[in-house]
Amino acid sequence: MKKHIVIIGHGAIGLLWAHHFHQRSHQITLLTHRELLPNKKQYLKNIDGDSNHIEFTFSKTMPQDVDLILVTTKAYQVKDALSPWLNEIKAPIILLHNGMGSVDHLTLNETHKVILATTTHGALLKDNTIIHTGLGQTVIGNYQHNTPQQLIDCQALLDGVLPPVKTHLSIQQPLLLKLAINCVINPLTALNQCQNGKLQAIEFQSQIDLIIKELQQVIPLLEPTWIYTAETLKETIMRVVIATADNYSSMAQDVKFKRETEIDFINGYIVREGQKLGFEMIENKKLWNSINALY
Ligand code: KPL
């Protein structure tokens, strides 16, 4: 069945999903608060090099009859992007961004169905072209008020559009894993303005080990089903470093182009959570402060 999807956040990941929904003939509305509407014509360069373009519909107000709301803004934009519409939203809301904690800033009530998601797809936005740079997978899970059937329906819809999409019983676990990966790769590549692959160099290893040690003190207390040891977490992070060796992390790019970073929702998030549990998290705090001190 064809659905009406509203996408808030028109960066590379939001537009990647928009193209794929459109290819499966779903109706897409891109909700924006920008005075100057972005160009309707948006190109997609697929992983196999094929290109096509779509004329998207932008709207400054929330349409009626929406089946799903996909929020792909940066973590720090979620509150301002969603809050004006929260009173009228009935459809499930998916939050898909790097970092954690944006949902804590929303004034949610019993009627809001919220799903949290994480993805490993790589995409780059250059002018009006989204380049799908790396195939990945997406994991979704209930945050509040979705029945198991609603979650299955949502997974089936997304999986039919940009597979694979899986559900996780405790979405906290994949979110914390992505957070741990971002806590290491993003600030180090941003501060050193290097590609992810550079983090294999010997000079980074002791700092990476310290960051991971602190993460391992806190994350298992936040998520009792956490299966990683310091060694297996490092191996996992290093696999991402190698798989994305030629890429500049999102934070390295944000710093290069002097855009706001997601550091408050990455290392900042884990430092705040750690402090609640009585941990100092010196290394993560140093990175958080160093990134914020750049501007
Ligand atoms: O998520 C990423 C990012 O750049 O934000 C990683 C996994 C580090 C890939 O670059």
Side-chain angles (χ1 to χ4, degrees):
M1 238 212 349
K2 300 308 164 204
K3 303 284 186 189
H4 184 186
I5 320 291
V6 167
I7 299 183
I8 310 179
H10 314 133
I13 290 292
L15 290 173
L16 178 70
W17 277 97
H19 273 272
H20 283 264
F21 274 117
H22 188 272
Q23 279 167 11
R24 290 277 172 270
S25 306
H26 296 292
Q27 185 188 344
I28 296 294
T29 301
L30 302 178
L31 190 70
T32 181
H33 63 270
R34 288 188 212 167
E35 271 311 309
L36 203 63
L37 288 183
N39 200 326
K40 283 182 173 177
K41 202 167 180 176
Q42 296 283 342
Y43 293 80
L44 170 69
K45 192 164 173 210
N46 258 322
I47 209 96
D48 48 20
D50 287 357
S51 278
N52 56 52
H53 75 268
I54 291 168
E55 302 252 333
F56 283 117
T57 306
F58 285 92
S59 171
K60 288 189 179 177
T61 54
M62 182 64 77
Q64 304 288 312
D65 314 322
V66 178
D67 295 299
L68 183 68
I69 295 166
L70 177 60
V71 184
T72 56
T73 60
K74 296 276 193 177
Y76 55 80
Q77 295 167 326
V78 168
K79 183 178 178 220
D80 287 348
L82 258 185
S83 296
W85 315 111
L86 276 177
N87 282 341
E88 57 192 272
I89 289 177
K90 300 205 170 43
I93 303 166
I94 304 181
L95 303 185
L96 173 62
H97 56 70
N98 269 347
M100 288 178 75
S102 71
V103 72
D104 304 332
H105 298 281
L106 297 175
T107 310
L108 298 172
N109 63 37
E110 292 302 301
T111 66
H112 292 120
K113 297 192 269 294
V114 181
I115 291 169
L116 300 183
T118 176
T119 189
T120 55
H121 282 285
L124 261 180
L125 182 57
K126 275 200 182 144
D127 303 321
N128 289 336
T129 303
I130 297 96
I131 307 165
H132 195 177
T133 50
L135 281 175
Q137 63 164 339
T138 304
V139 184
I140 65 168
N142 180 45
Y143 175 75
Q144 71 165 40
H145 306 315
N146 292 278
T147 62
Q149 188 55 49
Q150 283 166 336
L151 211 58
I152 290 169
D153 292 346
C154 185
Q155 181 265 334
L157 170 67
L158 299 179
D159 193 56
V161 167
L162 185 54
V165 178
K166 308 237 179 310
T167 54
H168 202 290
L169 276 181
S170 169
I171 188 63
Q172 191 76 349
Q173 197 188 96
L175 289 179
L176 283 164
L177 177 60
K178 184 75 193 298
L179 186 84
I181 294 167
N182 289 139
C183 277
V184 172
I185 299 179
N186 292 28
L188 292 180
T189 53
L191 290 168
N192 294 285
Q193 281 299 298
C194 64
Q195 288 155 302
N196 295 352
K198 280 271 154 46
L199 301 186
Q200 292 169 90
I202 208 88
E203 75 238 39
F204 287 110
Q205 300 318 304
S206 55
Q207 193 178 6
I208 292 176
D209 290 343
L210 285 175
I211 303 166
I212 291 175
K213 191 172 164 209
E214 289 181 359
L215 296 173
Q216 278 298 115
Q217 287 173 329
V218 173
I219 297 180
L221 299 176
L222 299 176
E223 178 51 53
T225 65
W226 185 249
I227 51 169
Y228 294 89
T229 62
E231 289 71 34
T232 58
L233 183 57
K234 182 159 185 193
E235 276 163 29
T236 307
I237 294 172
M238 284 304 162
R239 269 203 294 275
V240 178
V241 163
I242 292 164
T244 61
D246 295 337
N247 298 0
Y248 286 91
S249 75
S250 54
M251 198 175 289
Q253 295 177 57
D254 288 340
V255 165
K256 182 172 176 203
F257 297 111
K258 304 218 171 332
R259 297 186 297 239
E260 187 170 351
T261 73
E262 293 178 296
I263 195 78
D264 293 352
F265 294 81
I266 297 178
N267 303 76
Y269 175 83
I270 205 69
V271 170
R272 286 190 299 273
E273 292 302 310
Q275 283 173 341
K276 284 183 213 161
L277 294 163
F279 294 97
E280 219 9 74
M281 307 208 76
I282 294 165
E283 211 51 42
N284 281 276
K285 203 197 262 172
K286 216 158 69 187
L287 293 170
W288 183 16
N289 290 336
S290 305
I291 293 289
N292 281 335
L294 290 176
Y295 307 111

